[in-house]
Structures are given as structure tokens and as C-alpha cells.
Amino acid sequence: MSKTVMAGNTTEKTALVVLLGVSFAHLLNDAMQSVVPAVFPIFQQQMQLSYAEIGWVAFTLNITASILQPIIGFYTDRKPLPLLLPLGMGFSLLGMAGLAWSPSFWCLLISAALIGIGSSVLHPESSRVAHLAMNHRRGLAQSVFQVGGNTGQAFAPLMAAFIIVPQGQAGFLWFTIIAGFGIALQLGVSRWYSQQSRPLQAAAQAVDRVKSSFRKSFIVYVLGILILMLFSKFVYLASMTGYYAFYFMDKYHLPLSTAQISIFALQFAGMVGTFLGGPLADRFGRQKVIWFSILGTSPFSLLLPYVGPAGSVVVCAVIGLILMSGFSVIIVYAQELLPGHVGTVAGLFFGLAFGMGGLGSVMMGWLMDTHGVERMIQACAFLPLLGLFALLLPSDRVIMGKPKSFVA
């Protein structure tokens, strides 16, 4: 075997290790972030918080990430900053320590903001690393990266049930160890990333010259539909991860630990759906997977409020499998629409995802205070029907082929 072939194989193996590294870092980050709404009932009981105040904690957690992610993505498209990777985990560590010792509602808000900042740093830069590591298989790279986050989200309810429920707020101290491991992992990834910085910065100087060949009106039209899909997906997910446990305990008179099983089923199946989304999009087309991932959820979301405890586990699993399959596909679809803006697109869409989830949490908290948890769950069940608008998205042939009628 020639030295050139051996060097190529070594480079591919290194890139795969880096991709798995950022995916695992995504797992740790999203596990820490998702465990916060999973234990909202504990905060409510210990601090006598209203549903609206719980909603504001969720809003703070998500809005910090929502505002900062597109800014960070836009800046690092022009000047990559590898040290942001371990720094983001450092903010998450401070947030976890703060949650363990928070004596009041306002301290909860500050701790939630620190965790949100950590996520805002991780997502655009780690998404860029995944894109760089597997540049020839972008759909697969984004799916592998995203499945790490979904895995963390899936295990968060179990962590809440077995770590925090028995120990109360002090259980969050265990998550500082997870954050510390994440810092060490991201330091290793950042070393590889920094080795790529020189060619990346040379390419970044040309970003302003890389423009989409589509008309601006067409880009706005497509992005508008994609953002509507994010609204449907993430507001519904916020209703499930933040408030379904209240509904479950109230309706079935079962403990929080039992309620978390249904949330775990949704998140674990979502991990599988995320992994399958990329290959399915390669086979059937990104546009088809996007509309199916939202609209295909609606029969099961409408059914969920009317099944029993055991049935809820099955229905939640089906919802997670379908609903989670489209997010990584949406990001790649948008990146192909706007070439040369990998970090900006990733930051924008991750930021919108968190922001919409946060705003949805505030609205749902108000709805629960005024109309009750059962009415809120029933109302949110209609959100996936917005997937009908995804049928208006241009086909993959249009995005990749750029027919003249859409070109500027």
C-alpha cells in the first residue's frame, strides 16, 4: 500500500473519530440541558413556583441559546474559534453547579442562562466540525452529530428519575462531573479543529463572495416554510418534555418517575429517528422526509391525550421516531440553499429551535395556569398539522439543480 493511500486512510479515521467526538459532546450537552425541564415538578414543589414561573425558566434556558447561536455562527464562518468548544462546556458546568445550589427563582434563571450560553457556543461550532470532518457525506455527518444530541435528550428523563428525584437539587452536582468530562473531550476536538484553522480561514475570506444563485424572494419563501416547520416541531416538543409529566401525574395519579418513562420513550425513539433521517433523505429526498417528519406525527399527537399509561409509552415512541427524523435534514437542506454559510445556517436553525421552544414554554405555562394542563396538551396536539405547509417546499431537484426560473 502506497504512503499516499495510507495517509488518506489515517486522515479518514481521524475525521471519523472527530465526528464521533463532537457527537458525544453533543450528547453530554443536551443531556444536561434536557434534564432541567425533566425536573420542573421538583422545582415547583420545593420553591412553590407557578406554571408561568416554570415557563420563564424554560424560556431563559432556550432564549439565551436562541439569540447567541446565529451570532456565533455568523462570526465563526469568517473566523473559526476552536477554543469556543471547551469554553461552552465551562458555561454548562457553572450552570449545573448553580442549579444544585439555587435558593430562589432568580438564581434558577441565572443558572438556566449559563446552560443556554453553553449550548449556544457548542451547536454552531460543533456542527461546523462535523461538516468539515465528513465534507463528502454531509447528510450522514449532520445525522451522526444530531443523534448525539437526541441520545442525550433521551437519557435525560432517566437521569432525572434515578439521580435527581432521589437527591433533589443536590443531584445536579453529579452533572458537573459530566461537564468536566465534556471540557476534556472538547479540548481534544479543538486541537484537531485548530489544525484545520488556516485553510478554513482562507476559505472563510471567500464567504462573502459565495452567494446563493437563487433569487432573494425565493430564499425568503423557502426559509419561511422551514421556520414554520421548526415552530411546529419544537413548540410541540417543549409541551412534551416540559409539561407532559404534569399531565401524566394529574390524569393517571402516578409518580414522576413513572411519567418519565413515556418521555424517555419519545426521546429514545427520536434518537433512532434522527439517525435514520439522513439515509432516508438520501434515498427518498430531503423535501419528502421534512414534510413526513412533521405531518406524519399528527395522527399520533392527536391520539396521545386519549390513551392510557401503557399506551402513552407506545404512542410517545412513535411520535419521537417520526418527529425527530427531519431536523438534521432541514439543516442540510438550508445549507444547500445558502452555500458557504454552514455556521450561520446551523446557528440560525439551532437558535430558532431553542427560541421557539422557550417562547412556547412561556405560552404553555400561561395556558396551564388559566385553562389547566389537560387543555394545553390537547391544544398542542394540533401543532404537527402545520406539516401540511411543508408540501409547498421545492423538491431536491430544484435546490440542487437550480432551475433558471428561481435563479437571481
Side-chain angles (χ1 to χ4, degrees):
M1 184 178 295
S2 67
K3 292 183 178 179
T4 302
V5 174
M6 292 178 64
N9 290 339
T10 301
T11 301
E12 288 183 3
K13 290 179 181 178
T14 301
L16 179 59
V17 170
V18 169
L19 176 61
L20 294 176
V22 293
S23 180
F24 193 70
H26 197 189
L27 183 156
L28 299 179
N29 177 85
D30 283 24
M32 289 186 287
Q33 184 170 358
S34 298
V35 81
V36 179
V39 295
F40 278 167
I42 290 179
F43 290 136
Q44 185 195 39
Q45 293 168 6
Q46 293 187 352
M47 298 184 182
Q48 301 298 307
L49 303 179
S50 68
Y51 287 125
E53 288 174 322
I54 289 292
W56 279 110
V57 175
F59 174 80
T60 303
L61 177 67
N62 288 297
I63 202 65
T64 47
S66 177
I67 293 172
L68 291 175
Q69 285 196 57
I71 297 172
I72 292 172
F74 182 81
Y75 180 80
T76 55
D77 269 336
R78 288 147 181 80
K79 187 177 180 180
L81 296 172
L83 283 178
L84 282 179
L85 296 173
L87 182 63
M89 280 290 180
F91 279 107
S92 296
L93 188 152
L94 292 175
M96 286 292 136
L99 290 177
W101 293 316
S102 289
S104 67
F105 169 67
W106 293 105
C107 290
L108 279 183
L109 291 182
I110 294 171
S111 300
L114 289 170
I115 297 169
I117 292 171
S119 286
S120 74
V121 172
L122 177 135
H123 286 101
E125 279 296 84
S126 293
S127 181
R128 186 197 313 283
V129 172
H131 186 93
L132 180 65
M134 300 286 284
N135 190 46
H136 58 295
R137 302 181 69 183
R138 297 173 183 176
L140 176 64
Q142 194 61 232
S143 288
V144 172
F145 170 66
Q146 189 60 31
V147 82
N150 289 145
T151 304
Q153 293 167 13
F155 282 100
L158 296 184
M159 292 177 174
F162 294 108
I163 297 176
I164 299 180
V165 170
Q167 301 182 48
Q169 281 183 247
F172 278 106
L173 290 175
W174 288 101
F175 289 86
T176 62
I177 299 174
I178 293 175
F181 180 76
I183 291 172
L185 177 62
Q186 291 287 63
L187 279 171
V189 172
S190 69
R191 291 192 190 98
W192 179 87
Y193 187 22
S194 63
Q195 292 172 4
Q196 318 301 316
S197 292
R198 188 169 298 173
L200 278 176
Q201 289 180 1
Q205 292 173 358
V207 165
D208 289 331
R209 299 192 296 271
V210 178
K211 297 182 182 296
S212 174
S213 56
F214 293 113
R215 292 199 305 259
K216 288 184 178 180
S217 58
F218 179 75
I219 293 173
V220 171
Y221 164 76
V222 174
L223 290 179
I225 295 176
L226 294 177
I227 290 170
L228 183 63
M229 295 306 98
L230 293 183
F231 173 83
S232 172
K233 171 184 167 67
F234 284 99
V235 174
Y236 180 73
L237 280 177
S239 75
M240 292 297 296
T241 57
Y243 297 106
Y244 185 71
F246 291 106
Y247 171 80
F248 190 98
M249 291 187 294
D250 182 67
K251 184 170 183 177
Y252 304 124
H253 306 291
L254 293 171
L256 175 61
S257 57
T258 304
Q260 297 293 355
I261 296 174
S262 293
I263 306 300
F264 169 74
L266 182 144
Q267 301 280 27
F268 185 83
M271 173 191 68
V272 178
T274 298
F275 185 75
L276 294 176
L280 287 174
D282 290 338
R283 181 176 178 83
F284 299 106
R286 293 188 175 92
Q287 186 257 11
K288 292 179 181 178
V289 171
I290 290 171
W291 71 254
F292 177 74
S293 71
I294 308 297
L295 186 59
T297 303
S298 58
F300 303 98
S301 65
L302 292 169
L303 175 64
L304 181 61
Y306 307 101
V307 298
S312 73
V313 176
V314 177
V315 175
C316 281
V318 176
I319 289 172
L321 183 69
I322 299 174
L323 187 61
M324 300 287 203
S325 64
F327 185 50
S328 61
V329 181
I330 289 174
I331 291 177
V332 175
Y333 185 94
Q335 287 171 339
E336 290 171 348
L337 180 73
L338 295 167
H341 297 81
V342 175
T344 302
V345 169
L348 174 65
F349 279 80
F350 278 111
L352 285 171
F354 287 119
M356 289 176 179
L359 287 170
S361 295
V362 173
M363 292 187 296
M364 288 180 291
W366 172 82
L367 188 61
M368 288 170 65
D369 280 336
T370 55
H371 295 89
V373 62
E374 184 171 3
R375 185 63 59 86
M376 185 277 292
I377 291 293
Q378 291 171 347
C380 288
F382 289 90
L383 284 169
L385 288 173
L386 291 174
L388 284 166
F389 288 94
L391 296 172
L392 301 176
L393 284 171
S395 67
D396 293 27
R397 181 182 59 81
V398 171
I399 298 298
M400 300 299 293
K402 302 176 178 60
K404 292 182 180 179
S405 59
F406 298 104
V407 174

